[in-house]
């Protein structure tokens, strides 16, 4: 019953910035990790950034230094601040969350519907 709602995608010029948000809702007890993945046409879905545990982060080499992932655990929300965007960043960005359902020991893994990020002049 966990649902992820993404927002913040859009069209931006190279060098510009976007901030993606993903809010998880539903029967959630805890979220252990959240992350962002992206998929460009003809490509496989790839890791962009993850955040887990005590705010441990992991970034793809292609975005390191430009993107910042953060989260608000109280709101079950993850953000992706994307700076100095490049045309190569154009893709559908998907939010992912892993955690445990409320009232049980059952783990979940959920995906958002995706939000389009287009970087073009």
């Amino acid at each position: 019953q966990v649902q992820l709602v993404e927002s913040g995608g859009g069209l931006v010029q190279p060098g510009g910035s976007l901030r993606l948000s993903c809010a998880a809702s539903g029967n959630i007890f805890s979220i252990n990790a959240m992350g962002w993945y992206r998929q460009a046409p003809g490509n496989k879905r790839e890791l962009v950034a993850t955040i887990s545990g005590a705010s441990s982060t992991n970034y793809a080499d292609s975005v390191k230094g430009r993107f910042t992932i953060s989260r608000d655990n109280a709101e079950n929300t993850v953000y992706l601040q994307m700076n100095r965007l490049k045309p190569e960043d154009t893709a559908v960005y998907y939010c992912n969350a892993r955690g445990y359902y409320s009232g049980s020991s059952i783990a979940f893994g959920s995906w958002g519907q995706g939000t389009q990020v287009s970087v073009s002049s």
Side-chain angles (χ1 to χ4, degrees):
Q1 300 187 61
V2 176
Q3 201 166 27
L4 305 181
V5 179
E6 302 159 351
S7 63
L11 175 64
V12 66
Q13 293 183 340
S17 298
L18 285 173
R19 180 177 168 87
L20 305 183
S21 299
C22 174
S25 62
N27 192 25
I28 300 170
F29 173 72
S30 66
I31 293 179
N32 296 328
M34 300 187 79
W36 290 94
Y37 296 73
R38 67 187 182 187
Q39 187 169 16
N43 291 5
K44 295 180 178 180
R45 188 173 298 185
E46 64 178 1
L47 168 74
V48 177
T50 60
I51 185 166
S52 62
S55 297
S56 297
T57 58
N58 182 44
Y59 297 92
D61 289 341
S62 59
V63 306
K64 209 171 184 64
R66 299 187 297 119
F67 292 10
T68 302
I69 188 170
S70 61
R71 67 182 177 188
D72 182 342
N73 289 340
E75 300 296 329
N76 292 327
T77 301
V78 65
Y79 306 93
L80 185 68
Q81 179 66 47
M82 304 184 293
N83 298 323
R84 302 190 302 280
L85 284 160
K86 304 175 181 179
E88 305 92 271
D89 296 318
T90 296
V92 177
Y93 284 69
Y94 297 91
C95 178
N96 175 264
R98 293 183 286 110
Y100 290 90
Y101 289 112
S102 180
S104 75
S105 61
I106 300 175
F108 69 84
S110 297
W111 290 94
Q113 291 297 113
T115 184
Q116 177 71 50
V117 172
S118 298
V119 185
S120 177
S121 60

